[in-house]
Amino acid sequence: VSDLSLPFNVPLMYLKAAARQALSGKTCKHLITVFNQISGNEAEKKTTLDQALRGVLGDQIIEQKTSCDDYLSLIYLSIDAVTEGICSATIPFVLLGDVLDCLPLDLCDKIFSFVEKNVSTWKSSSFYTAGKNYLLRMCNDLLRRLSKSQNTVFCGRIQLFLARLFPLSEKSGLNLQSQFNLDNITVFNKNEQESTLGQKQTDEKEDTMEVEEGEMGEDDAPAPCSIPIDYNLYRKFWTLQDYFRNPLQCYDKFSWMTFLKFSDETLAVFKSFKLDDMQASKRKMEDLRASAGEHVYFAKFLTSEKLMDLQLSDSNFRRHILLQYLILFQYLKGQVKFKSSSCVLNDDQSAWIEETTKLVYQVILKCPLWQHILSTEENWNSWKNEGCPSFVKERTSDDKPKRPTRKRQAPEDFLGKGPERKIFMGNDELTRLWNLNQDNMEACKSESREFMPSLDEFFAEAIEQADPVNMVEEEYKVVRNPNYGWRALRLLSRRSPHFFQPTNQKFKSLADYLDSMVSKLAKELPDIPSEEIKTGEEDDDDNGDNLLKDSNDSDKTVTNHQMDDIAAKLGSQWKTLASHLEMKAAEMREIETDSEDVDVQAKLLLVAWQEREGSQATVENLATALSSAGFSQLAERLSEA
């Protein structure tokens, strides 16, 4: 076909033939070729192709020999045609609506499965704007055809599809004015003459009279209930569903009195009626599911009179009714934007609701899931009261940070000229400080920049105060000053090896820890004469008069350097020495977990021993332990040193 500039019917005929050929070949290339050969503007050609596709679908429906797969193939072809830009974006939704209108419900289920799978396609930019109203109308038509009690699952799938298709802020799917579904009417027997409850109780009494005394066991005894289960209770119980359906009745004075009376009797029955065994109920439900092969759905309450006593004994049924009470109370007490100004509770009503809410929680026990449901409903009402704002918050142009635009400075703007050129920092004082030295890194390394004091200078006062001769009270010592303690810790972390050595001692305060460190530093600092260094430790021989005293070489405590030498030579054999130093197995395991290096483990052993022994951690005692452990050479070297 070279030129199809013919009347409307002729291009329509060619396009229908091309569409059938495209369906058989499962490709739309031939359809695109025929479309391009037709003369005319794009809008007219798209309208013609739309009619051609609907004509092909009409022929398939009239033949009644076409399966659902053939219908879906035509819809897939229309989607490809929309993507290629040769037909209107609404034609796939029109075809879907025509198919669903002409098919029975069992086949509509298969077609709707196709709609669910392609929800990402419908939400794309090419289809969403054009087809959202068609999809909404199509789903509403399906819901009108379906029975809410018999097609519960299908109705739920449609609702879930709409929830996935439309965003939460789409107001067409929101109940903005908080209207109630007044069509949800609970049907029950309202004619007392047709009731079988009275006859049932008469039969039960007759059966009871036939049983002699002593023949009824404890397990067969009826559940005690002060309120008889008769038609009057049956009518009051199911009448409450009308108040749950339309809570606005509770604001009417006479309706509220009726609701109050019926609720008190119902809750009294719940409180006094015996529940079935929970484990038995679970076993019955499991047997029912195993026999049915799937879950059982109940769209409405079963209101038969024969089930009344069983329902009152069912814990799940009772909890559903009580949950309805909690939802009703939440609405009556809550702030709803479209609630009338006359819908206000008085003090008596509010007090009764508070008392009944506590009673409900006592009966059903507190369930986190139900509390979550109620809090979600409250958040939903608050969101609608605020006008349903969008959950996506876009940044406004005013909030976007603006980068300042400035002219790039030339080098001569901040670099001086000549042999004594300076770097200008934009401020006289900054310029002076920056140009004090040409090499700022070397200036920072200068000795004049060394502000950290030495250990002997900083702790001289603390060591002097530690001497009992000076009689300085604890509260006046510098180690009790928090500022001094903070600076002491920083200095110890930079200067003293004792800061990072593990210890088994426990200190109640920072001052106690600093007292211990002062004692160690007093023994090690070489610049302070031994007769002037005082600690608070008392030896057995001097009665605590002197902090440190001159002693023989064998009574000297082990230095840190000596422990390093011994640890390096012990290595992996430190456990042999540990038993002779009377170290416990728990302490040895703690040392092994602190480090994997055997030299470090040996050093930790000696440090732990020194911390435990204190002034008794002498060279002589350590040499004796080394000799006992079989390290005679190390003991001799230690004694000679």
Side-chain angles (χ1 to χ4, degrees):
V1 182
S2 59
D3 187 10
L4 296 181
S5 56
L6 301 172
F8 177 78
N9 291 336
V10 177
L12 179 63
M13 179 182 60
Y14 280 112
L15 288 175
K16 288 178 67 175
R20 292 191 179 93
Q21 185 174 354
L23 285 175
S24 60
K26 296 183 179 180
T27 178
C28 65
K29 292 183 179 179
H30 181 67
L31 184 61
I32 296 173
T33 303
V34 175
F35 181 86
N36 293 330
Q37 291 177 350
I38 298 177
S39 61
N41 57 47
E42 292 293 322
E44 293 177 353
K45 293 194 293 182
K46 287 184 178 182
T47 303
T48 305
L49 181 56
D50 294 345
Q51 292 296 328
L53 293 175
R54 295 194 69 182
V56 173
L57 177 63
D59 296 340
Q60 290 179 345
I61 295 174
I62 292 173
E63 292 175 1
Q64 295 184 354
K65 298 180 181 179
T66 308
S67 62
C68 289
D69 294 336
D70 296 329
Y71 298 137
L72 297 180
S73 298
L74 181 60
I75 296 174
Y76 273 123
L77 179 64
S78 65
I79 293 175
D80 294 338
V82 173
T83 306
E84 297 293 336
I86 60 176
C87 74
S88 303
T90 59
I91 193 61
F93 307 103
V94 174
L95 297 178
L96 277 173
D98 294 341
V99 170
L100 293 175
D101 288 341
C102 300
L103 293 181
L105 290 178
D106 55 344
L107 296 180
C108 288
D109 193 347
K110 299 180 180 179
I111 298 296
F112 192 76
S113 298
F114 161 79
V115 177
E116 289 178 309
K117 293 179 182 178
N118 291 272
V119 64
S120 58
T121 303
W122 314 136
K123 295 179 70 173
S124 62
S125 57
S126 303
F127 295 94
Y128 182 75
T129 304
K132 62 178 183 179
N133 292 331
Y134 285 92
L135 288 173
L136 182 60
R137 189 181 304 113
M138 177 187 70
C139 292
N140 288 331
D141 292 340
L142 269 178
L143 289 174
R144 293 189 189 96
R145 295 174 58 188
L146 295 173
S147 172
K148 293 182 179 180
S149 58
Q150 298 180 5
N151 307 107
T152 308
V153 179
F154 198 176
C155 294
R157 287 170 55 194
I158 295 175
Q159 298 290 352
L160 289 176
F161 168 74
L162 293 175
R164 293 171 57 194
L165 178 65
F166 294 100
L168 286 176
S169 56
E170 177 65 34
K171 296 187 177 181
S172 62
L174 293 176
N175 183 13
L176 292 177
Q177 297 183 0
S178 300
Q179 297 177 349
F180 301 99
N181 182 16
L182 301 181
D183 296 332
N184 184 21
I185 300 175
T186 301
V187 180
F188 61 95
N189 182 21
K190 298 183 179 180
N191 188 357
E192 187 175 2
Q193 302 299 328
E194 299 177 359
S195 174
T196 59
L197 285 175
Q199 180 181 357
K200 181 178 178 181
Q201 288 185 354
T202 304
D203 296 340
E204 290 179 354
K205 290 181 179 179
E206 293 177 357
D207 294 340
T208 306
M209 294 295 295
E210 295 177 359
V211 180
E212 296 181 0
E213 294 184 2
E215 292 183 356
M216 180 178 291
E218 295 180 358
D219 297 336
D220 298 332
C225 181
S226 59
I227 301 177
I229 302 176
D230 53 5
Y231 176 78
N232 192 25
L233 176 63
Y234 168 82
R235 178 181 60 83
K236 294 177 180 179
F237 180 83
W238 290 114
T239 302
L240 290 175
Q241 293 296 321
D242 190 60
Y243 291 91
F244 298 146
R245 176 182 66 94
N246 185 14
L248 294 177
Q249 300 179 74
C250 295
Y251 293 106
D252 181 71
K253 181 179 180 180
F254 297 100
S255 299
W256 171 258
M257 297 301 297
T258 304
F259 171 76
L260 189 67
K261 180 181 178 182
F262 291 0
S263 297
D264 288 340
E265 294 187 14
T266 300
L267 294 175
V269 171
F270 280 168
K271 194 172 182 180
S272 60
F273 208 84
K274 181 180 179 181
L275 283 174
D276 283 344
D277 184 15
M278 294 295 295
Q279 299 298 329
S281 300
K282 291 181 179 178
R283 287 194 296 269
K284 291 178 183 178
M285 183 60 69
E286 292 177 357
D287 296 340
L288 179 62
R289 292 175 179 173
S291 61
E294 59 183 3
H295 293 283
V296 181
Y297 295 89
F298 299 97
K300 294 285 292 181
F301 286 121
L302 301 178
T303 59
S304 173
E305 297 177 354
K306 300 178 180 180
L307 300 176
M308 189 67 187
D309 54 345
L310 298 177
Q311 289 172 333
L312 294 177
S313 303
D314 187 4
S315 59
N316 291 326
F317 176 82
R318 178 180 298 188
R319 286 173 179 168
H320 280 105
I321 300 299
L322 295 177
L323 180 60
Q324 287 182 301
Y325 270 105
L326 295 179
I327 295 175
L328 173 65
F329 293 162
Q330 187 182 56
Y331 173 79
L332 295 177
K333 295 187 300 182
Q335 298 293 332
V336 181
K337 183 177 181 181
F338 293 94
K339 189 187 293 186
S340 175
S341 58
S342 59
C343 298
V344 180
L345 298 174
N346 56 38
D347 296 339
D348 295 337
Q349 291 174 326
S350 301
W352 183 86
I353 289 177
E354 292 294 335
E355 294 177 0
T356 309
T357 302
K358 296 179 181 179
L359 177 61
V360 168
Y361 277 117
Q362 290 177 359
V363 175
I364 68 175
L365 300 179
K366 290 192 176 180
C367 179
L369 177 61
W370 292 3
Q371 292 178 351
H372 176 71
I373 293 175
L374 295 175
S375 62
T376 303
E377 183 69 18
E378 186 176 357
N379 295 335
W380 185 260
N381 290 333
S382 301
W383 178 65
K384 288 197 294 184
N385 290 338
E386 295 172 0
C388 305
S390 175
F391 289 97
V392 180
K393 295 184 179 181
E394 299 180 356
R395 174 184 283 184
T396 60
S397 57
D398 298 336
D399 297 338
K400 294 181 180 179
K402 297 180 180 180
R403 298 184 61 182
T405 57
R406 61 180 182 181
K407 181 181 177 182
R408 184 176 179 180
Q409 295 181 343
E412 56 270 12
D413 292 341
F414 55 87
L415 289 178
K417 299 179 180 180
E420 298 181 357
R421 68 178 191 173
K422 297 181 179 179
I423 299 178
F424 296 99
M425 303 300 296
N427 182 280
D428 294 339
E429 188 62 22
L430 288 178
T431 301
R432 183 187 68 81
L433 293 174
W434 190 266
N435 292 277
L436 288 176
N437 193 301
Q438 294 182 355
D439 191 345
N440 289 319
M441 292 303 298
E442 291 297 330
C444 292
K445 296 178 183 179
S446 174
E447 295 181 357
S448 60
R449 301 289 301 172
E450 182 65 37
F451 300 112
M452 186 181 300
S454 60
L455 289 174
D456 53 352
E457 294 177 356
F458 186 82
F459 286 98
E461 184 180 0
I463 293 174
E464 183 180 358
Q465 292 178 352
D467 187 355
V469 177
N470 295 325
M471 294 186 294
V472 179
E473 297 181 6
E474 290 293 329
E475 59 180 338
Y476 297 110
K477 290 183 179 181
V478 292
V479 294
R480 302 293 173 182
N481 187 347
N483 187 18
Y484 180 87
W486 178 79
R487 289 185 287 126
L489 287 179
R490 295 202 47 163
L491 181 61
L492 288 172
S493 65
R494 299 291 298 273
R495 300 282 192 183
S496 175
H498 295 289
F499 185 79
F500 296 101
Q501 289 181 354
T503 178
N504 294 327
Q505 289 182 284
K506 296 182 179 179
F507 302 100
K508 296 183 179 179
S509 63
L510 176 60
D512 296 339
Y513 171 75
L514 291 179
D515 283 336
S516 175
M517 296 300 295
V518 166
S519 301
K520 295 179 181 180
L521 293 175
K523 301 175 184 179
E524 295 182 358
L525 293 178
D527 297 337
I528 302 178
S530 59
E531 62 270 7
E532 296 179 2
I533 302 176
K534 306 293 181 180
T535 64
E537 300 177 355
E538 296 184 357
D539 294 337
D540 296 336
D541 299 332
D542 58 3
N543 296 323
D545 292 336
N546 296 321
L547 182 64
L548 293 177
K549 67 178 182 177
D550 295 334
S551 63
N552 297 328
D553 294 339
S554 60
D555 294 335
K556 290 183 178 178
T557 57
V558 182
T559 63
N560 189 36
H561 179 68
Q562 290 173 333
M563 288 192 295
D564 290 337
D565 293 341
I566 296 174
K569 294 174 183 178
L570 282 175
S572 60
Q573 298 178 343
W574 63 273
K575 293 183 180 179
T576 306
L577 177 62
S579 60
H580 294 276
L581 292 178
E582 299 179 357
M583 301 298 293
K584 298 180 181 179
E587 295 175 334
M588 296 173 62
R589 286 195 298 269
E590 184 178 357
I591 291 174
E592 289 179 333
T593 56
D594 287 343
S595 176
E596 297 179 356
D597 190 351
V598 293
D599 293 342
V600 177
Q601 291 175 355
K603 177 62 179 298
L604 293 175
L605 169 67
L606 296 174
V607 171
W609 170 75
Q610 186 187 47
E611 294 287 346
R612 187 190 66 194
E613 297 296 330
S615 61
Q616 298 300 322
T618 60
V619 174
E620 181 181 4
N621 292 338
L622 181 57
T624 303
L626 288 171
S627 299
S628 301
F631 302 105
S632 301
Q633 295 181 356
L634 289 178
E636 292 176 0
R637 292 180 183 178
L638 179 61
S639 300
E640 293 175 358

